[in-house]
Amino acid sequence: MAGKLLTLATLALLLAGCDTVPVDAPLQLSGSPGANFDSDEAQCRAAARQVGDDHIQKTAAIGGVGGALAGATESRDKGAVGAVLGAVVGAAVGDAQVKQAQRDYLVRCMQQAGHPVIG
């Protein structure tokens, strides 16, 4: 059971980090930036960093409970291993979700400010 959990945890960690662009990465434009681009970008990035502040902790807790329950079907020791691996996987998945939500917020914020941002 612990081997299966470790394999699943590794796979989930790899998938969680796929195709996630951090909020600090440069923006892609489809045209020339507007006059207030720099100040709008600073404001939008600051607001985007506030998105999902407590989401990572929640997904880690949910993952830990799920892992503990799955491991506990085998034995108490495997329940503890499942809880740790579940928390790690939950935190990684939560982190990827938060990064994606922050980036999406940044792009929408800049588009709403009238800038030709595409990603």
Side-chain angles (χ1 to χ4, degrees), residues 20 48 51-52 96-106 108:
T20 303
V51 172
Q97 291 171 339
V98 166
K99 285 179 181 173
Q100 186 62 52
Q102 289 175 338
R103 185 64 181 198
D104 292 345
Y105 180 94
L106 172 62
R108 281 191 314 274

Side-chain angles (χ1 to χ4, degrees), residues 27 29 32-43 110 115-117:
L27 291 167
L29 305 173
S32 299
N36 298 326
F37 184 85
D38 291 336
S39 63
D40 289 342
E41 182 181 20
Q43 289 176 355
M110 290 297 287
H115 300 289
V117 175

Side-chain angles (χ1 to χ4, degrees), residues 58-75:
K58 288 179 183 177
T59 56
I62 291 168
V65 170
L69 291 174
T73 62
E74 296 286 323
S75 71

Side-chain angles (χ1 to χ4, degrees), residues 9-92:
T10 303
L11 180 60
L13 289 172
L14 290 173
L15 291 175
C18 292
D19 202 29
T20 303
V21 179
V23 73
D24 292 327
L27 291 167
Q28 297 176 351
L29 305 173
S30 64
S32 299
N36 298 326
F37 184 85
D38 291 336
S39 63
D40 289 342
E41 182 181 20
Q43 289 176 355
C44 288
R45 282 189 193 276
R49 286 187 188 96
Q50 303 303 312
V51 172
D53 279 343
D54 62 346
H55 184 72
I56 297 170
Q57 293 85 0
K58 288 179 183 177
T59 56
I62 291 168
V65 170
L69 291 174
T73 62
E74 296 286 323
S75 71
R76 179 177 282 177
D77 291 339
K78 290 181 181 177
V81 170
V84 170
L85 290 176
V88 169
V89 170

